[in-house]
Amino acid sequence: MKFTLINNKKTEQLSFKNNLTIKELLDQIEKPLETVVIKKNGQIVLEDEIIQEGDTIEVIQIIYGG
Amino acid sequence: MNCTKCGKKEVMMERKHSGQRLCPECFISGIQKKVLKDIRKYGLIEKGDNVMVALSGGKDSVMLLDILSSLQNRGIIDLMAVTIDEGIQGYRQDGIKIAENHARRLGIEHRVVSFKEYFNISLDEIMALPFPRGACTYCGVFRRWLINRTAREMGATKIATGHNLDDETQSIMMNYLEGNIENLRRIGPRSHPKSDKFIVKIKPLGEIPEREVGLYVVAKGLEVHFAGCPYSQESFRAEIGEIIKNLSKNHPTIMYSTLRGFHKIKTALKKEDSRNFTMDNCIKCGEPSAQELCRACVFCEELEKKKTH
Ligand code: SF4
Ligand SMILES: [Zn+2]
Ligand SMILES: [Zn+2]
């Protein structure tokens, strides 16, 4: 399963197992859920949303330390 | 599982403690209603107020401006904004641009005022001097001075800041744990200044969790400066914030209960407040101060000495 990840304005193509959830993705890239908002294909989604082939996932960091 | 309010499919957020699941429209209108309700409940704004927003361009102040602009549109208040330029290379400029864009879009009066023009030194220059205090210490003192001075110059009757529920809970826990009851007493949705040269400060977002502020600006597509200040360091506040955020994972209402409990204690703290010192004016800058020199002027003198060494 391939999808596009936009994280910190950097865009990359990723390849993962099927049925990857947003929550699992965030664990992988080490972003705590409380500090980000996630958009899937332009819409804000919940952490249990499943990523599908061809999706564009955008990670927007809204909380910074300090 | 659809939006628990309107049944739409596009759920963007979930409040685990109440089981609420909301679509963007219901989330946005719910937040707006809550903020306007809190403004009434705590008597933060009266009809005819000139409200000056301390607008950094960050998510909190942008959301605050967005919601207050509805009061401006209904002719209830006159809205204006100030942005403080501390002089932080590679960080502040972006926020100022965004603040200017919002002010222009809403057609409100907006001033950008800098540490450099008022204190003759930028934060970057301060931090390059030998053995400076923590950046946030200067920043806080100078910013408060500047915001209050500018508010008076612009004829503001209220200063609105974007402090959210996380900020408020952190302040309560911090001051409690440090035993700083003086500061604890001052926490709350509005200030009660001892001098009429201090403009009343209000915090309309004090009961909105930080993450929901982030969700709001993204859901509404508002332009926001998302970035961390290069000087933000490991502070006691940050440590407390970390603890509370961790606790909130398994105890999602902990920030609300901390705030609610504090409101009850505060009534008692108020009665305890027997000190009746008089506010004079700082002999150097004329701003109200309990001491001969206000803290901003004390810092300025200290920095002058550092510069000549
Ligand atoms: S993190 Fe500290 S130095 Fe940076 S803007 Fe905030 S108060 Fe100022
Ligand atoms: Zn809805
Ligand atoms: Zn002074």
Side-chain angles (χ1 to χ4, degrees), chain B residues 3-8 21-27:
Chain B
C3 173
T4 45
K5 271 244 167 79
C6 74
K8 261 203 216 98
R21 294 163 63 87
L22 299 173
C23 73
E25 292 76 40
C26 292
F27 170 69

Side-chain angles (χ1 to χ4, degrees), chain B residues 23 117 130 144:
Chain B
C23 73
E117 67 187 286
R144 272 194 294 279

Side-chain angles (χ1 to χ4, degrees), chain B residues 118-119 133 137-138 140-149 152 195 197-198 277-303:
Chain B
Y118 279 85
F119 306 112
R133 299 167 186 258
T137 307
Y138 297 107
V141 167
F142 285 156
R143 184 175 45 221
R144 272 194 294 279
W145 189 100
L146 255 183
I147 287 178
N148 190 62
R149 169 70 65 102
R152 262 203 339 268
S195 158
K197 283 173 109 178
F198 279 136
F277 66 88
T278 47
M279 274 279 179
D280 247 324
N281 294 334
C282 168
I283 54 168
K284 210 169 148 203
C285 72
E287 289 296 306
S289 168
Q291 259 74 49
E292 263 199 345
L293 276 185
C294 73
R295 277 197 90 197
C297 288
V298 170
F299 281 0
C300 281
E301 291 198 344
E302 186 184 294
L303 291 168

Side-chain angles (χ1 to χ4, degrees), chain A residues 43, chain B residues 1-3 6-12 21-24:
Chain A
Q43 277 189 350
Chain B
M1 283 246 279
N2 297 2
C3 173
C6 74
K8 261 203 216 98
K9 214 168 81 253
E10 297 81 19
V11 170
M12 64 162 274
R21 294 163 63 87
L22 299 173
C23 73

Side-chain angles (χ1 to χ4, degrees), chain B residues 15-262:
Chain B
R15 292 193 180 106
K16 292 225 168 72
H17 53 278
S18 63
Q20 244 180 356
R21 294 163 63 87
L22 299 173
C23 73
E25 292 76 40
C26 292
F27 170 69
I28 289 170
S29 71
I31 290 268
Q32 288 168 343
K33 279 198 200 110
K34 162 77 177 151
V35 174
L36 294 175
K37 197 178 106 202
D38 288 345
I39 288 175
R40 279 193 304 273
K41 177 169 151 197
Y42 298 115
L44 304 187
I45 288 175
E46 286 123 66
K47 194 172 185 341
D49 261 335
N50 296 330
V51 182
M52 187 191 84
V53 173
L55 182 64
S56 67
K59 65 183 186 313
D60 307 288
S61 60
V62 166
M63 167 170 161
L64 178 61
L65 190 76
D66 181 71
I67 293 182
L68 291 183
S69 71
S70 71
L71 295 179
Q72 150 120 334
N73 292 341
R74 284 155 55 197
I76 297 170
I77 60 167
D78 204 4
L79 195 58
M80 46 185 110
V82 64
T83 303
I84 306 298
D85 181 359
E86 305 90 348
I88 306 174
Q89 262 297 330
Y91 170 68
R92 182 48 74 212
Q93 254 8 75
D94 293 345
I96 294 175
K97 272 264 136 50
I98 290 168
E100 281 170 342
N101 291 345
H102 284 296
R104 201 173 320 114
R105 178 173 60 82
L106 297 171
I108 61 170
E109 190 185 349
H110 177 225
R111 277 200 214 167
V112 180
V113 290
S114 70
F115 283 9
K116 186 77 183 173
E117 67 187 286
Y118 279 85
F119 306 112
N120 198 26
I121 190 164
S122 70
L123 192 61
D124 283 340
E125 287 166 346
I126 292 175
M127 296 316 287
L129 292 172
F131 308 111
R133 299 167 186 258
C136 302
T137 307
Y138 297 107
C139 201
V141 167
F142 285 156
R143 184 175 45 221
R144 272 194 294 279
W145 189 100
L146 255 183
I147 287 178
N148 190 62
R149 169 70 65 102
T150 311
R152 262 203 339 268
E153 284 175 5
M154 291 174 85
T157 53
K158 298 278 163 64
I159 297 168
T161 61
H163 294 89
N164 56 48
L165 178 61
D166 295 50
D167 297 325
E168 291 297 274
T169 320
Q170 284 162 19
S171 300
I172 293 166
M173 290 313 294
M174 252 176 78
N175 286 308
Y176 179 73
L177 293 175
E178 288 177 326
N180 196 336
I181 306 303
E182 266 340 296
N183 280 0
L184 200 58
R185 204 175 263 144
R186 275 198 284 268
I187 299 170
R190 69 170 280 166
S191 67
H192 299 274
K194 300 219 163 169
S195 158
D196 52 15
K197 283 173 109 178
F198 279 136
I199 308 299
V200 173
K201 286 188 186 157
I202 58 171
K203 300 174 190 166
L205 308 187
E207 296 189 7
I208 308 293
E210 179 167 23
R211 180 144 200 282
E212 294 195 12
V213 174
L215 281 166
Y216 182 93
V217 295
V218 175
K220 268 207 103 178
L222 294 167
E223 189 190 14
V224 165
H225 185 217
F226 283 126
C229 171
Y231 294 119
S232 86
Q233 74 260 69
E234 260 316 305
S235 58
F236 186 52
R237 175 180 284 278
E239 281 179 63
I240 297 287
E242 189 77 31
I243 293 171
I244 299 174
K245 280 195 175 69
N246 280 332
L247 281 173
S248 296
K249 284 181 200 161
N250 290 329
H251 311 275
T253 56
I254 203 144
M255 288 195 286
Y256 298 103
S257 56
T258 305
L259 190 72
R260 260 204 320 277
F262 171 70

